[in-house]
Amino acid sequence: LAKTTQPISMDSYEGQEVNITCSHNNIATNDYITWYQQFPSQGPRFIIQGYKTKVTNEVASLFIPADRKSSTLSLPRVSLSDTAVYYCLVGDPGHGSSNTGKLIFGQGTTLQVKP
Amino acid sequence: DTAVSQTPKYLVTQMGNDKSIKCEQNLGHDTMYWYKQDSKKFLKIMFSYNNKELIINETVPNRFSPKSPDKAHLNLHINSLELGDSAVYFCASSPWRDYYEQYFGPGTRLTVT
């Protein structure tokens, strides 16, 4: 069971690059790594997903080392609107028999972007 | 058009009551989930259904029972509500193959008094 650990909070300033690292020492072979963003009073929103190496989309990059025991979400040039809670999710939905899938969210990192 | 909707948005009830939260998705997904988020923002999966079949059933009290009448709906029934059940409950959906990209509803804030 891949437990995840993230920093509780981070502060940054507008225009800076922000890197949030998630530790998942017990990640399993079939597990993917996903990051979500959550604003107050809203449901989480998918940001990016990866299995290994580096993944980049229009909003973020995800760096995963070869051992896959951690991952780093990189947000380039943050703005005030990036202030939110960021969750690292590691898991495998399970295939075949019931109750074999496990999806584990980290405790979330509260990112505060200051002007 | 709301992709994943939940009703009600707020639910205030007394201990011992039975209540239900409804969830509907119009994305054509075949997998749906229920999550519980407590006051400390921990987000924990409770159940997952794929094509109306229970896939994930985390250790939750058996007072909680999900029901999936069809692929587009996953309702959560809670019997004999307790103070500790107060939380925000989120419904989500995804395609089975792309389970990692889940679409969440707006949440239902349940307050048990």
Side-chain angles (χ1 to χ4, degrees):
Chain A
L1 197 63
K3 179 182 177 181
T4 61
T5 304
Q6 303 173 233
I8 297 296
S9 64
M10 295 181 68
D11 288 341
S12 182
Y13 290 93
E14 283 191 290
Q16 289 187 334
E17 178 185 76
V18 171
N19 296 311
I20 306 174
T21 297
C22 179
S23 298
H24 28 80
N25 291 322
N26 297 324
I27 189 169
T29 302
N30 293 333
D31 287 345
Y32 279 72
I33 301 157
T34 313
W35 285 81
Y36 282 79
Q37 175 191 57
Q38 185 179 27
F39 296 113
S41 302
Q42 294 185 24
R45 184 173 69 104
F46 171 85
I47 301 174
I48 197 167
Q49 171 267 337
Y51 184 79
K52 60 181 178 181
T53 64
K54 177 184 175 182
V55 180
T56 298
N57 63 21
E58 62 276 9
V59 298
S61 294
L62 179 60
F63 298 91
I64 305 170
D67 65 8
R68 304 201 327 124
K69 293 182 183 296
S70 66
S71 58
T72 299
L73 174 72
S74 181
L75 304 172
R77 297 179 297 282
V78 294
S79 64
L80 295 177
S81 62
D82 292 319
T83 293
V85 179
Y86 292 83
Y87 289 96
C88 168
L89 169 64
V90 175
D92 166 20
H95 298 276
S97 58
S98 297
N99 213 20
T100 58
K102 297 294 181 183
L103 295 175
I104 308 295
F105 273 85
Q107 74 270 30
T109 298
T110 300
L111 173 65
Q112 180 70 50
V113 180
K114 302 175 182 179
Chain B
D1 289 342
T2 303
V4 181
S5 60
Q6 296 178 229
T7 54
K9 187 169 178 61
Y10 299 97
L11 185 54
V12 181
T13 187
Q14 292 183 332
M15 288 176 55
N17 286 346
D18 303 336
K19 291 294 179 183
S20 295
I21 305 173
K22 295 184 177 180
C23 178
E24 177 181 3
Q25 55 94 4
N26 61 6
L27 298 168
H29 292 159
D30 52 9
T31 307
M32 297 185 71
Y33 314 81
W34 275 110
Y35 288 87
K36 178 181 180 181
Q37 186 168 48
D38 61 24
S39 58
K40 295 183 178 181
K41 302 300 182 183
F42 283 94
L43 191 61
K44 297 181 180 179
I45 190 167
M46 301 173 67
F47 302 103
S48 168
Y49 267 76
N50 175 249
N51 282 323
K52 297 170 48 180
E53 177 186 355
L54 182 64
I55 299 299
I56 295 175
N57 183 4
E58 287 299 306
T59 307
V60 299
N62 56 16
R63 299 182 292 104
F64 291 78
S65 56
K67 287 183 172 56
S68 181
D70 55 57
K71 288 198 305 183
H73 296 84
L74 181 62
N75 303 323
L76 184 64
H77 301 276
I78 314 171
N79 297 323
S80 303
L81 278 156
E82 300 176 357
L83 293 177
D85 297 333
S86 295
V88 180
Y89 293 84
F90 287 101
C91 176
S93 72
S94 74
W96 172 243
R97 282 187 168 275
D98 297 328
Y99 75 93
Y100 46 82
E101 187 168 353
Q102 297 179 23
Y103 291 78
F104 282 77
T108 295
R109 181 173 293 278
L110 171 65
T111 303
V112 182
T113 62

